[in-house]
Amino acid sequence: MEYKELIKTAIKYRERAYCGYSNFHVGSAVLFESGNIYGGCNIENSSYGATNCAERTAICKGISEGEKEIKAIAIVGDSKTFTYPCGICRQVIAEFAAKDIEIIIAKNEDEYIIKNLEEILPSAFTKEDLNK
Ligand code: THU
């Protein structure tokens, strides 16, 4: 099943988190329209603001390989609660996804919530607002 495969990939990439400052491990996996999946982890920096979230790592990997549109994205955090994408990641997802895409917020392969983009980033500012 697509969700399980995405969650599994996110969990695998979470192991690669470079997160010595927060010690909060995050993994993500993005399914693009092409059918290709890219995984990513959070990559922190001694200059904290230079940190890359797991979602953006995975998205940038795909886009830089020529992928165009996100079909679904999974996020797996490190806590007992569900880890939702941060505000910056929501905006980056919005750049490459339709409002109804599936955002899979998972604790593990069996426990997950599915939200669409409009639910977690209502009335988003997008390229349409720039008439692009
Ligand atoms: N983090 C993510 O990777 N994704 C999110 O959407 C939330 C936050 C990371 C960034 C940082 O390395 C750590 O979690 C703590 O904020």
Side-chain angles (χ1 to χ4, degrees), residues 12-83:
K12 179 176 129 194
Y13 275 84
R14 183 177 60 184
E15 287 170 21
R16 301 186 182 157
Y18 178 80
C19 61
Y21 301 101
S22 72
N23 204 30
F24 191 78
H25 299 68
V26 187
S28 178
V30 182
L31 170 68
F32 286 90
E33 283 293 332
S34 63
N36 292 330
I37 293 174
Y38 296 82
C41 59
N42 52 332
I43 304 171
E44 297 188 343
N45 193 282
S46 56
S47 177
Y48 298 170
T51 291
N52 240 15
C53 288
E55 300 91 310
R56 281 179 286 133
T57 303
I59 293 167
C60 289
K61 281 173 66 180
I63 296 298
S64 60
E65 290 301 322
E67 302 292 347
K68 301 290 180 213
E69 199 178 337
I70 299 172
K71 204 172 148 202
I73 179 166
I75 302 105
V76 184
D78 208 5
S79 60
K80 290 192 182 79
T81 57
F82 289 102
T83 298

Side-chain angles (χ1 to χ4, degrees), residues 49-121:
T51 291
N52 240 15
C53 288
E55 300 91 310
R56 281 179 286 133
T57 303
I59 293 167
C60 289
K61 281 173 66 180
I63 296 298
S64 60
E65 290 301 322
E67 302 292 347
K68 301 290 180 213
E69 199 178 337
I70 299 172
K71 204 172 148 202
I73 179 166
I75 302 105
V76 184
D78 208 5
S79 60
K80 290 192 182 79
T81 57
F82 289 102
T83 298
Y84 280 68
C86 80
I88 296 173
C89 289
R90 293 177 199 206
Q91 184 67 30
V92 173
I93 295 167
E95 187 68 27
F96 302 108
K99 287 180 180 163
D100 62 351
I101 68 142
E102 290 174 324
I103 301 170
I104 304 146
I105 298 147
K107 287 186 192 173
N108 54 56
E109 276 174 64
D110 300 312
E111 291 178 278
Y112 56 85
I113 296 169
I114 299 184
K115 297 274 182 189
N116 66 43
L117 191 57
E118 185 60 23
E119 288 175 293
I120 67 164
L121 189 67

